[in-house]
Amino acid sequence: MSYIDGFAIAVPTANKQKFIDHANLGDSVFMELGATRILECWGDDVPDGKLTDFRKAVQAKDDETVVFSWIEWPDKPTRDAAFGKMKEWMEHPEKADPRMDPARNPMPFDGKRLIFGGFAPIVELES
């Protein structure tokens, strides 16, 4: 069964195109490392909750939009191998793919407020 990495990010609304450009460049690396599908979704109906919500989760400010994203992998071993490659790049930046270089492809958001996790699907419905 597939494996999913999920992300929520607060992106300055004015940086929408910068985010799209950043994602198109960086996400291509994940595809080359074995991802089968990537979705980057710009929030347009993200309500405030009474106790918690997406905006609170990423500490979004009034001038920021929540982005909800996920990467689908064919399986967890493929995902783990890809993350191993990225860890190697972090430890040896001279070997890193240039698309992942923050100087060449800077994050147009505060990466400290990005939340993410890996998820094993337990129910999958398709049409």
Side-chain angles (χ1 to χ4, degrees):
M1 187 174 256
S2 62
Y3 193 79
I4 309 297
D5 281 308
F7 308 85
I9 314 161
V11 178
T13 303
N15 286 356
K16 183 176 182 179
Q17 188 58 51
K18 287 180 184 178
F19 178 82
I20 292 168
D21 296 342
H22 170 80
N24 278 320
L25 191 59
D27 288 352
S28 63
V29 174
F30 296 116
M31 294 300 292
E32 289 172 18
L33 291 174
T36 56
R37 185 174 184 219
I38 299 173
L39 283 147
E40 304 281 2
C41 306
W42 192 260
D44 72 350
D45 185 13
V46 183
D48 292 334
K50 291 184 180 183
L51 292 178
T52 190
D53 57 45
F54 276 105
R55 296 190 63 77
K56 288 180 183 94
V58 294
Q59 299 175 350
K61 300 172 185 154
D62 290 342
D63 63 343
E64 293 178 321
T65 299
V66 175
V67 173
F68 179 63
S69 309
W70 66 91
I71 302 172
E72 293 181 23
W73 302 94
D75 50 44
K76 190 168 189 300
T78 302
R79 180 267 202 172
D80 290 348
F83 274 54
K85 187 71 169 170
M86 289 184 284
K87 182 179 178 189
E88 178 185 322
W89 290 342
M90 289 170 52
E91 293 169 357
H92 303 283
E94 70 281 1
K95 296 180 183 179
D97 187 301
R99 293 170 290 183
M100 301 303 276
D101 180 352
R104 294 183 183 180
N105 189 17
M107 291 189 298
F109 54 87
D110 179 1
K112 293 176 188 158
R113 291 185 285 138
L114 177 146
I115 59 173
F116 65 93
F119 300 86
I122 56 172
V123 175
E124 184 173 335
L125 303 174
E126 294 186 36
S127 61

